[in-house]
C-alpha cells in the first residue's frame, strides 16, 4: 500500500534498522517505546488489522517470529524479571494507529492489568 508507513519500511523507502527479518515478517524498534524494550513484529504483506487475517497461517508466521525474537532477548517468562507482553491493538477503539497489522512485544518492566 503506497501510503502505509510499514509498507514503506518493508520496501526500504523509509530506512529502518531490522531487529529480525525473513521473507514473511520483519521486526523493528517502536519509535515511541512504552517499555525498556518495545518491538513491533510486522508481516511484510499489507493486512489492515487482526480482524482482516483471512489465512490462519499468518498467525503462525507472526507468533513464531514473536517468540523467536523474545527467546533471542532472553525472555521466556520463567523468571520474575523476564516476562513480556504481546499486544495487538485493533481498530479505533482498540487503539490502533497504524493500519497495517503488527504485534507489540513489550518487556523490561512490570505491566499492569487491566490495560489502560
Ligand atoms: P498501534 O498504535 O498499535 O497501531 O501501534 C503503532 C505503533 O507504531 C506506535 O507504537 C508507533 O509508535 C509506532 N510507529 C509509527 N511509525 C513508526 C516508525 N516509522 N518506526 C517505528 N515505529 C513506528
Ligand atoms: Zn502496509
Amino acid at each position: 500500500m503506497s501510503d502505509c508507513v510499514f509498507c514503506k519500511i518493508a520496501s526500504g523507502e523509509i530506512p529502518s534498522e531490522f531487529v529480525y527479518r525473513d521473507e514473511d515478517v520483519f521486526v523493528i524498534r517502536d519509535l515511541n517505546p512504552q517499555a525498556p524494550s518495545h518491538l513491533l513484529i510486522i508481516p511484510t504483506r499489507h493486512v489492515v488489522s487482526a480482524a482482516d487475517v483471512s489465512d490462519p497461517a499468518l498467525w503462525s508466521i507472526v507468533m513464531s517470529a514473536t517468540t523467536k525474537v523474545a527467546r533471542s532477548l532472553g525472555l521466556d517468562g520463567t523468571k520474575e524479571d523476564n516476562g513480556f507482553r504481546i499486544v495487538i491493538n485493533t481498530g479505533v477503539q482498540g487503539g490502533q494507529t497504524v493500519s497495517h497489522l503488527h504485534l507489540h512485544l513489550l518487556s523490561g518492566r512490570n505491566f499492569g492489568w487491566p490495560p489502560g
Side-chain angles (χ1 to χ4, degrees), residues 1-74:
M1 248 204 132
S2 57
D3 62 347
C4 168
V5 64
F6 291 165
C7 283
K8 286 181 178 170
I9 290 172
S11 70
E13 190 180 336
I14 296 176
S16 190
E17 192 187 323
F18 295 101
V19 173
Y20 172 81
R21 187 163 204 188
D22 63 29
E23 60 273 19
D24 298 313
V25 67
F26 61 95
V27 179
I28 58 173
R29 289 188 182 82
D30 197 291
L31 205 58
N32 182 24
Q34 302 301 311
S37 175
H38 184 170
L39 302 177
L40 300 173
I41 293 81
I42 306 170
T44 305
R45 180 158 57 93
H46 183 89
V47 174
V48 171
S49 80
D52 290 289
V53 175
S54 53
D55 179 2
L58 186 59
W59 288 123
S60 171
I61 287 166
V62 292
M63 286 306 300
S64 298
T66 301
T67 51
K68 187 186 279 191
V69 169
R71 275 197 303 276
S72 77
L73 297 174

